[in-house]
């Protein structure tokens, strides 16, 4: 049985408890993330976290390079705009996030062909994974999921061997270089890279996709962000202003992880309740972030709201899109760079709206993301 706490004071106590591990809920993700940091616990988790954290808390990839990757991500959009074709916003955002993450891991952006292979197989794996959690799953779904995950691992094995042989893109600055220098086993490297890709590109690409959806539906806020990114003194590594307001509100409404799990490794008293050792807890920021006891007009997109800043400052866990405690997401600083660079690249050239006939629906396939994000591009002078 799982415990589902919804009171922020209970959540704070549980999520900041140091003696915790992964629950049996995490075991469901073993086929697609097994062997990586995100499913580890205890000394194994601490060792992997210590190895990887410096690459995310102080990103080695520069703001200038992330801006270049953002420009590359939308380089095909101009022809779509001229031909009045709609664009696949979610795919563009995902490829962009993969390219940034591959810079962190390998020291260079992998080819678009490999991005497409990873993206296609990853979506297949997630589709099958979702089916395996339902009542209509069969052996073919499990087999397809395994095959897709294996194809992703094969891509990583190939990239590692190319890198190790001094192939194209050879660079000493990434996570891979650090692992190889410390004689980490190749199989362990692949497992961790696969987990990093899941946690590193899927969470931020999902959040950015929701941000673009919210801005498409709220053009007045899109215009305010455009004004911010076009200022001469705008820097992509700063987390402030209208961009921060809108992004914080987006991840309130659409936190990347619907559930955060913790297994108690010691007995704990939570309010009037007693949780014995090995209790399994599932925490749901999606519900807390929409609780009308804490949020005025909880379901509305209102970046001007003051509650978020207040709840961040008082650490009350009425707002916790990145989790918390010692297992808090490492990628928050990287997400600021990625978010700002992409918004600058897009809004310096275009405005966008949801394409006619395209509705925005939630897809909770491991990470909360829009099922589709088809956009129509515009420019200021289109109405002249």
């Amino acid at each position: 049985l799982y415990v589902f706490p919804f009171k922020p004071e209970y959540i704070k106590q549980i999520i900041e408890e140091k003696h915790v591990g992964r629950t049996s809920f995490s075991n469901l993700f073993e086929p697609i993330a097994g062997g990586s940091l995100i499913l580890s616990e205890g000394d194994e988790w601490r060792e992997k976290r210590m190895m990887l954290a410096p690459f995310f808390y102080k990103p080695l990839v520069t703001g200038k390079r992330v801006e270049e990757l953002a420009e590359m991500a939308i380089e095909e959009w101009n022809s779509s705009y001229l031909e009045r074709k709609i664009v696949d916003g979610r795919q563009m955002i995902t490829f962009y996030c993969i390219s940034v993450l591959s810079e962190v891991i390998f020291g260079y952006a992998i080819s678009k062909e490999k991005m497409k292979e990873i993206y296609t197989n990853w979506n297949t794996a997630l589709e099958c994974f979702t089916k395996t959690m339902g009542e209509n799953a069969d052996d073919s779904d499990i087999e397809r999921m395994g095959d897709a995950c294996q194809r992703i691992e094969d891509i990583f094995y190939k990239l590692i061997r190319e890198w190790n042989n001094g192939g194209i893109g050879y660079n000493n600055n990434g996570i891979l270089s650090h692992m190889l220098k410390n004689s980490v086993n190749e199989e362990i490297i692949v497992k961790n890279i696969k987990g990093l890709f899941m946690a590193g590109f899927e969470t931020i690409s999902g959040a950015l996709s929701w941000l673009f959806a919210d801005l498409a539906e709220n053009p007045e806020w899109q215009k305010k962000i455009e004004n911010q990114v076009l200022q001469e003194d705008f820097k992509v590594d700063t987390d402030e202003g209208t961009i921060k307001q809108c992004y914080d509100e987006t991840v309130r409404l659409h936190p990347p992880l619907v559930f955060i799990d913790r297994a108690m490794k010691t007995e704990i008293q939570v309010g009037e309740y007693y949780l014995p050792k090995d209790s399994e807890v599932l925490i749901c920021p999606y519900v807390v972030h929409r609780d009308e006891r804490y949020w005025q007009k909880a379901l509305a997109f209102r970046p001007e709201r003051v509650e978020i800043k207040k709840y961040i400052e008082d650490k009350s866990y009425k707002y916790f899109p990145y989790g918390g405690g010692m297992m808090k997401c490492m990628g928050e600083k990287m997400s600021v760079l990625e978010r700002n660079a992409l918004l600058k690249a897009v809004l310096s050239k275009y405005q966008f709206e949801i394409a006619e006939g395209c509705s925005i629906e939630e897809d909770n396939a491991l990470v909360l993301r829009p099922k589709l994000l088809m956009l129509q591009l515009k420019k200021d002078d289109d109405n002249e």
Side-chain angles (χ1 to χ4, degrees):
L1 295 178
Y2 289 101
V3 177
F4 290 84
F6 294 103
K7 283 189 175 182
E9 59 267 33
Y10 295 171
I11 293 171
K12 178 181 176 68
Q13 187 175 351
I14 290 168
I15 213 166
E16 293 188 351
E17 169 63 42
K18 294 182 179 180
H19 302 289
V20 294
R22 304 296 184 187
T23 66
S24 57
F25 179 74
S26 289
N27 295 337
L28 297 172
F29 310 129
E30 179 68 27
I32 55 179
S36 68
L37 170 71
I38 60 176
L39 294 188
S40 302
E41 61 181 9
D43 291 339
E44 181 186 2
W45 173 85
R46 292 183 186 87
E47 181 180 342
K48 291 178 180 178
R49 178 93 174 191
M50 287 178 64
M51 175 179 63
L52 298 172
F55 295 93
F56 292 91
Y57 288 129
K58 188 178 180 181
L60 293 177
V61 59
T62 66
K64 180 180 179 181
R65 179 55 180 159
V66 177
E67 288 187 76
E68 292 172 352
L69 294 172
E71 291 289 346
M72 292 165 58
I74 64 165
E75 62 185 10
E76 297 176 359
W77 276 22
N78 198 48
S79 59
S80 297
Y81 165 74
L82 293 173
E83 297 170 17
R84 296 297 187 263
K85 292 181 179 179
I86 61 176
V87 296
D88 188 336
R90 201 186 86 177
Q91 178 174 286
M92 179 278 292
I93 290 168
T94 301
F95 284 5
Y96 164 65
C97 292
I98 290 175
S99 68
V100 174
L101 188 59
S102 66
E103 289 266 347
V104 176
I105 293 176
F106 299 106
Y108 68 101
I110 62 178
S111 69
K112 181 163 283 189
E113 289 71 25
K114 285 190 172 63
M115 288 186 205
K116 288 180 179 178
E117 285 186 69
I118 293 172
Y119 181 72
T120 300
N121 285 296
W122 183 247
N123 281 332
T124 298
L126 289 183
E127 176 190 343
C128 295
F129 172 77
T130 302
K131 288 182 179 179
T132 64
M133 296 181 69
E135 296 179 354
N136 299 320
D138 55 37
D139 291 342
S140 65
D141 293 316
I142 297 173
E143 185 176 349
R144 284 181 65 220
M145 179 173 65
D147 289 344
C149 290
Q150 185 59 56
R151 284 192 290 269
I152 293 172
E153 289 193 13
D154 290 343
I155 294 169
F156 292 144
Y157 274 114
K158 185 175 181 180
L159 287 169
I160 289 169
R161 288 161 186 168
E162 286 178 358
W163 188 100
N164 213 14
N165 292 327
I168 297 173
Y170 178 85
N171 191 301
N172 282 314
N173 294 328
I175 291 174
L176 178 59
S177 172
H178 179 81
M179 287 181 169
L180 291 172
K181 286 177 182 176
N182 287 275
S183 301
V184 179
N185 178 277
E186 187 178 62
E187 181 180 356
I188 294 174
I189 292 175
V190 167
K191 297 292 186 185
N192 275 286
I193 288 177
K194 189 170 71 170
L196 280 175
F197 260 82
M198 191 207 81
F201 88 79
E202 188 65 72
T203 51
I204 183 59
S205 68
L208 287 179
S209 295
W210 282 117
L211 178 60
F212 272 64
D214 287 335
L215 295 178
E217 294 179 329
N218 295 272
E220 71 281 9
W221 285 101
Q222 185 180 151
K223 188 64 179 178
K224 290 178 181 179
I225 289 182
E226 178 187 334
N227 292 336
Q228 182 180 350
V229 300
L230 292 182
Q231 292 176 9
E232 288 187 9
D233 60 349
F234 176 72
K235 296 180 180 178
V236 295
D237 61 349
T238 56
D239 191 20
E240 60 188 22
T242 305
I243 293 179
K244 177 174 173 57
Q245 285 180 294
C246 290
Y247 185 74
D248 286 351
E249 177 69 345
T250 285
V251 294
R252 178 188 73 84
L253 287 166
H254 314 286
L257 296 179
V258 174
F259 287 109
I260 298 169
D261 72 311
R262 295 288 188 271
M264 299 296 105
K265 295 304 181 182
T266 184
E267 61 185 41
I268 181 174
Q269 185 77 27
V270 180
E272 65 269 37
Y273 300 101
Y274 170 75
L275 299 183
K277 181 181 177 183
D278 296 326
S279 296
E280 297 193 319
V281 181
L282 289 180
I283 299 166
C284 186
Y286 184 92
V287 171
V288 179
H289 287 183
R290 293 163 176 250
D291 193 322
E292 293 186 352
R293 291 175 295 178
Y294 316 125
W295 306 94
Q296 296 182 9
K297 297 184 178 179
L299 300 184
F301 180 75
R302 300 180 67 197
E304 74 276 13
R305 66 172 72 247
V306 298
E307 300 101 310
I308 289 180
K309 183 178 179 182
K310 177 179 181 296
Y311 295 153
I312 291 175
E313 290 176 348
D314 66 20
K315 299 179 181 179
S316 61
Y317 284 87
K318 298 181 181 77
Y319 178 80
F320 53 107
Y322 304 104
M326 65 180 186
M327 290 184 174
K328 185 177 180 180
C329 175
M330 296 186 296
E332 193 171 350
K333 287 189 176 181
M334 277 297 304
S335 70
V336 170
L337 277 178
E338 291 179 68
R339 175 197 74 197
N340 290 357
L342 187 60
L343 286 170
K344 180 180 177 181
V346 172
L347 293 176
S348 63
K349 297 179 177 67
Y350 312 104
Q351 291 91 49
F352 51 88
E353 61 187 15
I354 301 298
E356 186 176 354
C358 177
S359 60
I360 304 299
E361 300 177 14
E362 292 182 346
D363 177 17
N364 186 24
L366 192 62
V367 172
L368 188 64
R369 59 187 187 174
K371 285 186 178 179
L372 285 174
L373 181 61
M374 307 307 293
L375 302 174
Q376 186 71 57
L377 303 176
K378 304 188 299 179
K379 290 189 177 182
D380 281 332
D381 55 7
D382 284 348
N383 296 323
E384 296 180 1

